[in-house]
Amino acid sequence: MSLLNDSVREAARRSVLCWLATVDADGLPNVSPKEVWAIADDAHVVVANIASPMSVRNIAQRPQVCLSFVDVFVQKGFKLVGTAHELQVENPAFAAWAAPLLAMVGQRFVIHSVLVIRVSSVASIVAPSYRFYPDETTEASQVASAMKAYKVHPAPQEKP
């Protein structure tokens, strides 16, 4: 069974950002938001290195990473743990791994390299309300609460 199954893939599609945690040579953590990322296959996630010198340096020293993402409206997501390595543009494998990222950015950003993460474990992330108030907490109630907190409204529905 794939670690990056359909529910993980669907949650990733609904998440705007992910957060990549790395550790430096001294053992100090670093968490950095990543806007351009994708699930590449059943075992790998790719992250564009657009402006990530600290993440790149940390991965070169210690490849262990944690990548987390949450749909801010439903307030559910996943934590992916694994090991990462950097692929430079001149690497023959770069084009294949970078393809989903390049499709996302077009000409908007320059991708300096790709961080390829081999996922070894996946865990669910859920807002505490789902656990502490399961009888009254639904995805719909979480969306309504988030929309109120963020002061946003649903997009108008298109007519067929």
PDB file of all heavy atoms in Angstrom, residues 85-101:
ATOM      1  N   HIS A  85      17.064  14.927  -0.482  1.00  0.00           N
ATOM      2  CA  HIS A  85      18.315  15.300  -1.140  1.00  0.00           C
ATOM      3  C   HIS A  85      17.992  16.364  -2.186  1.00  0.00           C
ATOM      4  O   HIS A  85      16.847  16.495  -2.627  1.00  0.00           O
ATOM      5  CB  HIS A  85      19.034  14.095  -1.762  1.00  0.00           C
ATOM      6  CG  HIS A  85      18.327  13.496  -2.924  1.00  0.00           C
ATOM      7  ND1 HIS A  85      17.292  12.580  -2.786  1.00  0.00           N
ATOM      8  CD2 HIS A  85      18.488  13.673  -4.255  1.00  0.00           C
ATOM      9  CE1 HIS A  85      16.856  12.230  -3.973  1.00  0.00           C
ATOM     10  NE2 HIS A  85      17.551  12.868  -4.886  1.00  0.00           N
ATOM     11  N   GLU A  86      19.011  17.109  -2.536  1.00  0.00           N
ATOM     12  CA  GLU A  86      18.845  18.186  -3.512  1.00  0.00           C
ATOM     13  C   GLU A  86      19.287  17.707  -4.883  1.00  0.00           C
ATOM     14  O   GLU A  86      20.316  17.063  -5.029  1.00  0.00           O
ATOM     15  CB  GLU A  86      19.692  19.391  -3.098  1.00  0.00           C
ATOM     16  CG  GLU A  86      19.590  20.547  -4.072  1.00  0.00           C
ATOM     17  CD  GLU A  86      20.578  21.666  -3.798  1.00  0.00           C
ATOM     18  OE1 GLU A  86      21.606  21.423  -3.140  1.00  0.00           O
ATOM     19  OE2 GLU A  86      20.312  22.784  -4.271  1.00  0.00           O
ATOM     20  N   LEU A  87      18.500  18.046  -5.898  1.00  0.00           N
ATOM     21  CA  LEU A  87      18.870  17.799  -7.292  1.00  0.00           C
ATOM     22  C   LEU A  87      19.101  19.142  -7.971  1.00  0.00           C
ATOM     23  O   LEU A  87      18.191  19.965  -8.055  1.00  0.00           O
ATOM     24  CB  LEU A  87      17.750  17.068  -8.044  1.00  0.00           C
ATOM     25  CG  LEU A  87      17.691  15.563  -7.926  1.00  0.00           C
ATOM     26  CD1 LEU A  87      16.521  15.027  -8.733  1.00  0.00           C
ATOM     27  CD2 LEU A  87      18.975  14.920  -8.362  1.00  0.00           C
ATOM     28  N   GLN A  88      20.301  19.344  -8.450  1.00  0.00           N
ATOM     29  CA  GLN A  88      20.652  20.564  -9.169  1.00  0.00           C
ATOM     30  C   GLN A  88      20.112  20.510 -10.592  1.00  0.00           C
ATOM     31  O   GLN A  88      19.841  19.427 -11.133  1.00  0.00           O
ATOM     32  CB  GLN A  88      22.175  20.718  -9.216  1.00  0.00           C
ATOM     33  CG  GLN A  88      22.837  20.841  -7.861  1.00  0.00           C
ATOM     34  CD  GLN A  88      22.647  22.207  -7.240  1.00  0.00           C
ATOM     35  OE1 GLN A  88      22.379  23.194  -7.927  1.00  0.00           O
ATOM     36  NE2 GLN A  88      22.776  22.288  -5.929  1.00  0.00           N
ATOM     37  N   VAL A  89      19.969  21.661 -11.211  1.00  0.00           N
ATOM     38  CA  VAL A  89      19.444  21.783 -12.578  1.00  0.00           C
ATOM     39  C   VAL A  89      20.238  20.937 -13.566  1.00  0.00           C
ATOM     40  O   VAL A  89      19.669  20.331 -14.476  1.00  0.00           O
ATOM     41  CB  VAL A  89      19.422  23.267 -13.019  1.00  0.00           C
ATOM     42  CG1 VAL A  89      19.026  23.414 -14.464  1.00  0.00           C
ATOM     43  CG2 VAL A  89      18.503  24.068 -12.118  1.00  0.00           C
ATOM     44  N   GLU A  90      21.545  20.858 -13.392  1.00  0.00           N
ATOM     45  CA  GLU A  90      22.384  20.122 -14.352  1.00  0.00           C
ATOM     46  C   GLU A  90      22.296  18.602 -14.187  1.00  0.00           C
ATOM     47  O   GLU A  90      22.790  17.866 -15.030  1.00  0.00           O
ATOM     48  CB  GLU A  90      23.843  20.587 -14.286  1.00  0.00           C
ATOM     49  CG  GLU A  90      24.485  20.532 -12.937  1.00  0.00           C
ATOM     50  CD  GLU A  90      24.213  21.758 -12.058  1.00  0.00           C
ATOM     51  OE1 GLU A  90      23.565  22.722 -12.503  1.00  0.00           O
ATOM     52  OE2 GLU A  90      24.640  21.723 -10.893  1.00  0.00           O
ATOM     53  N   ASN A  91      21.674  18.117 -13.140  1.00  0.00           N
ATOM     54  CA  ASN A  91      21.519  16.686 -12.932  1.00  0.00           C
ATOM     55  C   ASN A  91      20.545  16.140 -13.979  1.00  0.00           C
ATOM     56  O   ASN A  91      19.468  16.705 -14.184  1.00  0.00           O
ATOM     57  CB  ASN A  91      20.987  16.419 -11.522  1.00  0.00           C
ATOM     58  CG  ASN A  91      20.936  14.956 -11.167  1.00  0.00           C
ATOM     59  OD1 ASN A  91      20.348  14.153 -11.869  1.00  0.00           O
ATOM     60  ND2 ASN A  91      21.554  14.624 -10.042  1.00  0.00           N
ATOM     61  N   PRO A  92      20.881  15.028 -14.647  1.00  0.00           N
ATOM     62  CA  PRO A  92      19.987  14.469 -15.674  1.00  0.00           C
ATOM     63  C   PRO A  92      18.581  14.128 -15.156  1.00  0.00           C
ATOM     64  O   PRO A  92      17.621  14.149 -15.920  1.00  0.00           O
ATOM     65  CB  PRO A  92      20.711  13.204 -16.140  1.00  0.00           C
ATOM     66  CG  PRO A  92      22.126  13.389 -15.741  1.00  0.00           C
ATOM     67  CD  PRO A  92      22.128  14.286 -14.537  1.00  0.00           C
ATOM     68  N   ALA A  93      18.444  13.845 -13.876  1.00  0.00           N
ATOM     69  CA  ALA A  93      17.136  13.504 -13.302  1.00  0.00           C
ATOM     70  C   ALA A  93      16.303  14.737 -12.964  1.00  0.00           C
ATOM     71  O   ALA A  93      15.109  14.614 -12.652  1.00  0.00           O
ATOM     72  CB  ALA A  93      17.328  12.654 -12.051  1.00  0.00           C
ATOM     73  N   PHE A  94      16.905  15.922 -13.027  1.00  0.00           N
ATOM     74  CA  PHE A  94      16.213  17.145 -12.630  1.00  0.00           C
ATOM     75  C   PHE A  94      14.902  17.347 -13.397  1.00  0.00           C
ATOM     76  O   PHE A  94      13.860  17.633 -12.800  1.00  0.00           O
ATOM     77  CB  PHE A  94      17.112  18.368 -12.822  1.00  0.00           C
ATOM     78  CG  PHE A  94      16.425  19.676 -12.510  1.00  0.00           C
ATOM     79  CD1 PHE A  94      16.385  20.162 -11.223  1.00  0.00           C
ATOM     80  CD2 PHE A  94      15.813  20.426 -13.513  1.00  0.00           C
ATOM     81  CE1 PHE A  94      15.749  21.363 -10.924  1.00  0.00           C
ATOM     82  CE2 PHE A  94      15.171  21.621 -13.226  1.00  0.00           C
ATOM     83  CZ  PHE A  94      15.141  22.092 -11.930  1.00  0.00           C
ATOM     84  N   ALA A  95      14.929  17.221 -14.693  1.00  0.00           N
ATOM     85  CA  ALA A  95      13.749  17.524 -15.519  1.00  0.00           C
ATOM     86  C   ALA A  95      12.539  16.694 -15.107  1.00  0.00           C
ATOM     87  O   ALA A  95      11.423  17.215 -15.007  1.00  0.00           O
ATOM     88  CB  ALA A  95      14.064  17.318 -16.998  1.00  0.00           C
ATOM     89  N   ALA A  96      12.747  15.403 -14.856  1.00  0.00           N
ATOM     90  CA  ALA A  96      11.626  14.542 -14.483  1.00  0.00           C
ATOM     91  C   ALA A  96      11.057  14.926 -13.120  1.00  0.00           C
ATOM     92  O   ALA A  96       9.832  15.013 -12.952  1.00  0.00           O
ATOM     93  CB  ALA A  96      12.060  13.082 -14.488  1.00  0.00           C
ATOM     94  N   TRP A  97      11.930  15.146 -12.134  1.00  0.00           N
ATOM     95  CA  TRP A  97      11.454  15.492 -10.801  1.00  0.00           C
ATOM     96  C   TRP A  97      10.858  16.899 -10.758  1.00  0.00           C
ATOM     97  O   TRP A  97       9.918  17.161 -10.007  1.00  0.00           O
ATOM     98  CB  TRP A  97      12.583  15.392  -9.776  1.00  0.00           C
ATOM     99  CG  TRP A  97      12.984  13.982  -9.456  1.00  0.00           C
ATOM    100  CD1 TRP A  97      14.129  13.352  -9.848  1.00  0.00           C
ATOM    101  CD2 TRP A  97      12.255  13.027  -8.691  1.00  0.00           C
ATOM    102  NE1 TRP A  97      14.149  12.064  -9.367  1.00  0.00           N
ATOM    103  CE2 TRP A  97      13.008  11.839  -8.641  1.00  0.00           C
ATOM    104  CE3 TRP A  97      11.023  13.060  -8.026  1.00  0.00           C
ATOM    105  CZ2 TRP A  97      12.587  10.698  -7.968  1.00  0.00           C
ATOM    106  CZ3 TRP A  97      10.595  11.922  -7.353  1.00  0.00           C
ATOM    107  CH2 TRP A  97      11.374  10.761  -7.332  1.00  0.00           C
ATOM    108  N   ALA A  98      11.397  17.810 -11.553  1.00  0.00           N
ATOM    109  CA  ALA A  98      10.936  19.204 -11.536  1.00  0.00           C
ATOM    110  C   ALA A  98       9.674  19.432 -12.356  1.00  0.00           C
ATOM    111  O   ALA A  98       9.023  20.462 -12.195  1.00  0.00           O
ATOM    112  CB  ALA A  98      12.038  20.124 -12.041  1.00  0.00           C
ATOM    113  N   ALA A  99       9.313  18.502 -13.211  1.00  0.00           N
ATOM    114  CA  ALA A  99       8.181  18.705 -14.137  1.00  0.00           C
ATOM    115  C   ALA A  99       6.901  19.194 -13.459  1.00  0.00           C
ATOM    116  O   ALA A  99       6.307  20.183 -13.903  1.00  0.00           O
ATOM    117  CB  ALA A  99       7.931  17.439 -14.944  1.00  0.00           C
ATOM    118  N   PRO A 100       6.420  18.559 -12.377  1.00  0.00           N
ATOM    119  CA  PRO A 100       5.175  19.065 -11.775  1.00  0.00           C
ATOM    120  C   PRO A 100       5.334  20.459 -11.175  1.00  0.00           C
ATOM    121  O   PRO A 100       4.373  21.241 -11.149  1.00  0.00           O
ATOM    122  CB  PRO A 100       4.828  18.028 -10.707  1.00  0.00           C
ATOM    123  CG  PRO A 100       6.097  17.322 -10.408  1.00  0.00           C
ATOM    124  CD  PRO A 100       6.906  17.368 -11.678  1.00  0.00           C
ATOM    125  N   LEU A 101       6.523  20.781 -10.721  1.00  0.00           N
ATOM    126  CA  LEU A 101       6.776  22.091 -10.124  1.00  0.00           C
ATOM    127  C   LEU A 101       6.849  23.172 -11.198  1.00  0.00           C
ATOM    128  O   LEU A 101       6.294  24.261 -11.037  1.00  0.00           O
ATOM    129  CB  LEU A 101       8.068  22.049  -9.315  1.00  0.00           C
ATOM    130  CG  LEU A 101       8.138  20.950  -8.250  1.00  0.00           C
ATOM    131  CD1 LEU A 101       9.521  20.901  -7.623  1.00  0.00           C
ATOM    132  CD2 LEU A 101       7.053  21.127  -7.211  1.00  0.00           C
TER     133      LEU A 101
END
